[in-house]
Amino acid sequence: MQINEYDRGKINSASNLGLVGSIFIILGLILNFLSSFVGIALSLIGYILILVSLYELSQAYKNNLIFDNAIKGLIAAIVGSILLAIIAVTFIVAIFTSGFSPTTLSLGLPLVIIILILAYAILIIYGYYIKESYFQLSKSSGIKRFESVGKLYWYGTLLAIIVIGIIVIIIGDIYAILAFHELSVVSNTPITTNTNQ
């Protein structure tokens, strides 16, 4: 697909947003160990920047699937988080109002298992759509590293039930930094025309 100068400018700007967003996510993960609030805030800003980046890239490449898949993943994560919060609050309120009786605990254990299964299912849905978003970006941009980002996020969410999944997702974040940087370099490369013809 031929990209005009205006769209090349949008791609460069969007790739820089994605690059900064990916760095913020990594910093957020690191700072979570020092200050939970700062870590969460940085990660949230990072995710917003990446979402804006994916929107801009979907417009520049005329491929709505880049953003559509990302927003589906985000909606799944938000709805899932709200459901999990409601279930968790209900469980905590039940414990405080009824006390730590054997009946409460016997009802609570299956509820905890249900919450964990639901959280895992939501994570898989999120991972699937994010993978598809990065696959589409790879296809449109020609940057194969984005496909690797999608695969790492997907495998990471599948393995998130064990610690190694979190490590795979972090590696995916690092690959995202490299992929957005590569896209930024490519979009800044001047188009050369052959004048000898």
Side-chain angles (χ1 to χ4, degrees), residues 37-115:
F37 174 76
V38 175
I40 290 169
L42 266 180
S43 293
L44 186 61
I45 293 167
Y47 284 117
I48 291 167
L49 288 175
I50 287 174
L51 200 61
V52 172
S53 169
L54 293 174
Y55 173 76
E56 291 293 327
L57 290 168
S58 72
Q59 296 298 301
Y61 287 118
K62 314 289 188 285
N63 183 350
N64 292 333
L65 290 174
I66 296 170
F67 182 70
D68 289 352
N69 283 311
I71 205 74
K72 283 175 188 174
L74 181 67
I75 289 167
I78 291 169
V79 170
S81 298
I82 292 168
L83 285 174
L84 288 173
I86 290 168
I87 293 168
V89 168
T90 305
F91 177 59
I92 291 165
V93 169
I95 285 177
F96 279 108
T97 54
S98 305
F100 287 95
S101 66
T103 308
T104 307
L105 293 175
S106 66
L107 290 172
L109 185 61
L111 187 58
V112 168
I113 292 168
I114 289 167
I115 289 171

Side-chain angles (χ1 to χ4, degrees), residues 113 145 151 163 169 184 191 197:
I113 292 168
R145 199 169 265 149
K151 285 178 183 176
V163 179
I169 290 171
S184 176
I191 301 172
Q197 290 182 349

Side-chain angles (χ1 to χ4, degrees), residues 136-150:
Q136 289 297 323
L137 182 53
S138 174
K139 182 179 169 185
S140 293
S141 67
I143 308 291
K144 292 298 178 189
R145 199 169 265 149
F146 280 120
E147 191 174 322
S148 299
V149 172

Side-chain angles (χ1 to χ4, degrees), residues 3 5 8 12 181-192:
I3 304 291
E5 281 301 316
R8 278 164 59 82
N12 184 45
H181 174 69
E182 186 180 345
L183 181 59
S184 176
V185 170
V186 168
S187 66
N188 263 326
T189 305
I191 301 172
T192 56

